[in-house]
Amino acid sequence: MTCCPTRPTDPRIALGAVALVAAVTWLQTKIDLHLRRTEGRTDYDLRIGKQATDPTTVHTLADLAARH
């Protein structure tokens, strides 16, 4: 016996949740590219970083996914 009724998960909702999380992740990604040209030689510095997602945002996304 379970305490809570369950309902089947709609695959479109799961796909939407994955797409939303991917969008949030991509929008928080920071890319820095620095090019230097010295004496006919090109040097570059590439940095890719990501800031942590605000816990409130994660909680809100989880609530939205759970409700639908």
Side-chain angles (χ1 to χ4, degrees):
M1 182 173 185
T2 60
C3 69
C4 305
T6 59
R7 58 182 176 191
T9 303
D10 185 346
R12 293 174 297 175
I13 294 171
L15 182 61
V18 169
L20 188 56
V21 169
V24 167
T25 301
W26 173 252
L27 291 173
Q28 290 182 333
T29 302
K30 181 179 178 182
I31 300 172
D32 288 327
L33 176 62
H34 298 275
L35 298 172
R36 290 177 299 283
R37 184 141 177 96
T38 307
E39 299 176 7
R41 185 175 154 204
T42 303
D43 293 320
Y44 66 92
D45 183 25
L46 174 64
R47 296 180 187 182
I48 300 174
K50 182 181 169 316
Q51 296 180 358
T53 304
D54 180 34
T56 305
T57 303
V58 174
H59 184 70
T60 302
L61 292 174
D63 282 347
L64 286 171
R67 278 192 261 151
H68 296 284

